[in-house]
Amino acid sequence: MTDITHPEVFHGLPVHTLPLPGGAGIPGRPPAGSVAWRLDSQYELTFEEVWADFLAQVDTSQVRALLIGPWWKEDYVTFEPVVEAIVADAPRFPGLRALFLADVESEECEVSWLEMCDITPVLEALPLLEELTVRGGGDPVPDDEHLRLSPVRHRALKSLRFESGGLPGHVVRAVAASDLPALEHLEFWFGTGWYGGDATVADLAPVLSGAAFPSLRRLGLQNSEIQDEIASAVASAPVVARLDALSLSMGTLSDAGAQALLGGQPLTHLSSLDLHHHYLSEPFVSRIRDLCVGAGVQVDLDGVDDLDLDDDEPRYVAVSE
């Protein structure tokens, strides 16, 4: 399994966690635009208290990047109050270009336990946002405490990432139906059906055709139980010809998916191909490595630890619970 951790850099800026009110570090805080600000209740305050302190202590007109850490004081609660606060105070963040919703690591809460909500209002309230990362996802029984998104039109968004142990198919379909002309980087962690990951290859059709996002250059279709099916679709997908980077990592990719990739369209124009956490036999690893090295493609073929292709153990994605 892959541990979910906090980024040290976000949107090209070092991450700085806002100290709690009265804590050390307030007098020497960095200039508002020089860091990516991370808010964390640290289980001592409500999010509303942390948010109010942030607005009071920091010149939010200069904030360029913001990460929302654990937002609950005791028991896990829905993300909806966070969305409401961001939307209500959006005019106070004219320079905000990057947002990380639910920067929570595994020791704080498992990714599939995060009680998310509809994030559409965030994109609607921040029309100049360039980067959005969303951590968390679905559940076998969808309700108001799980990730939702409606198709949106957003002219500035360049990077969109969903890190999930179970990404709902309706979210994938909403992204694919959105009008995002500036989008250059798209990444989905699909997860497992056990945690609500029910997206299909058909849901990706507008993305794979190349019609959905004309500026797309980096594509990640990752952490999937149907990684072989995705690889087979990618092998003939028109969008691949204009990609610079492709990731099919973190899932259950086997020799069948590798054979589809090797027998499909050329991948030698890519600058990077990420297949780490795979279930490939050594002959296929060697074939892909030789192809990439010969063409100058940076390739990641790190496999699953202690992999034994002869046993009957189930294959697993890197991030699920």
Side-chain angles (χ1 to χ4, degrees):
M1 300 294 287
T2 295
D3 289 332
I4 298 288
T5 59
H6 301 306
E8 296 181 0
V9 176
F10 181 58
H11 201 62
L13 299 170
V15 175
H16 177 80
T17 299
L18 182 76
L20 294 182
I26 291 292
R29 65 178 181 269
S34 67
V35 298
W37 292 90
R38 182 174 182 274
L39 307 187
D40 184 346
S41 73
Q42 299 182 44
Y43 311 102
E44 297 180 34
L45 299 176
T46 65
F47 174 78
E48 288 79 4
E49 291 170 316
V50 173
W51 184 254
D53 184 61
F54 178 52
L55 298 183
Q57 295 288 337
V58 176
D59 180 2
T60 57
S61 69
Q62 301 301 311
V63 171
R64 297 161 54 197
L66 177 63
L67 304 90
I68 306 297
W71 62 90
W72 56 90
K73 182 177 181 180
E74 295 175 349
D75 297 332
Y76 301 143
V77 296
T78 176
F79 199 70
E80 191 166 8
V82 180
V83 168
E84 291 175 349
I86 292 172
V87 171
D89 291 315
R92 301 183 64 166
F93 293 86
L96 188 64
R97 296 296 180 267
L99 182 62
F100 194 139
L101 301 181
D103 174 24
V104 179
E105 65 180 12
S106 302
E107 292 185 0
E108 295 164 334
C109 180
E110 298 293 353
V111 65
S112 294
W113 299 1
L114 296 172
E115 298 183 8
M116 302 303 291
C117 66
D118 188 356
I119 63 168
T120 312
V122 171
L123 285 168
E124 294 173 339
L126 298 170
L128 299 180
L129 196 69
E130 296 177 358
E131 180 174 358
L132 176 63
T133 296
V134 181
R135 183 173 287 169
D139 188 272
V141 182
D143 58 29
D144 288 344
E145 296 179 352
H146 299 109
L147 182 63
R148 302 189 306 285
L149 176 70
S150 298
V152 295
R153 183 182 186 187
H154 198 289
R155 314 302 290 180
L157 196 67
K158 296 180 180 180
S159 176
L160 180 60
R161 289 166 48 97
F162 289 91
E163 300 180 356
S164 178
L167 188 63
H170 60 78
V171 172
V172 177
R173 292 190 293 273
V175 171
S178 293
D179 182 7
L180 307 173
L183 192 69
E184 299 172 356
H185 180 184
L186 176 62
E187 188 170 318
F188 292 122
W189 295 11
F190 296 104
T192 75
W194 184 259
Y195 290 104
D198 59 358
T200 66
V201 170
D203 295 332
L204 294 168
V207 177
L208 296 177
S209 72
F213 309 122
S215 299
L216 194 65
R217 296 297 180 267
R218 303 177 64 86
L219 178 61
L221 306 174
Q222 305 163 239
N223 198 50
S224 176
E225 292 180 310
I226 58 168
Q227 205 72 61
D228 283 342
E229 293 179 42
I230 291 173
S232 295
V234 164
S236 60
V239 72
V240 172
R242 55 180 167 82
L243 294 180
D244 177 64
L246 174 65
S247 179
L248 304 177
S249 64
M250 303 172 62
T252 59
L253 185 69
S254 73
D255 288 354
Q259 181 63 66
L261 289 175
L262 289 167
Q265 63 187 304
L267 300 175
T268 51
H269 66 287
L270 297 172
S271 65
S272 67
L273 176 64
D274 184 1
L275 302 178
H276 84 270
H277 186 101
H278 61 73
Y279 292 84
L280 304 182
S281 64
E282 184 55 38
F284 276 96
V285 170
S286 296
R287 289 176 61 187
I288 294 174
R289 181 181 292 113
D290 290 347
L291 175 68
C292 291
V293 170
V297 179
Q298 182 178 355
V299 62
D300 189 342
L301 282 162
D302 287 346
V304 176
D305 292 340
D306 303 320
L307 174 62
D308 183 355
L309 294 175
D310 294 327
D311 65 26
D312 294 325
E313 292 295 319
R315 297 175 179 179
Y316 57 88
V317 300
V319 174
S320 54
E321 184 179 26

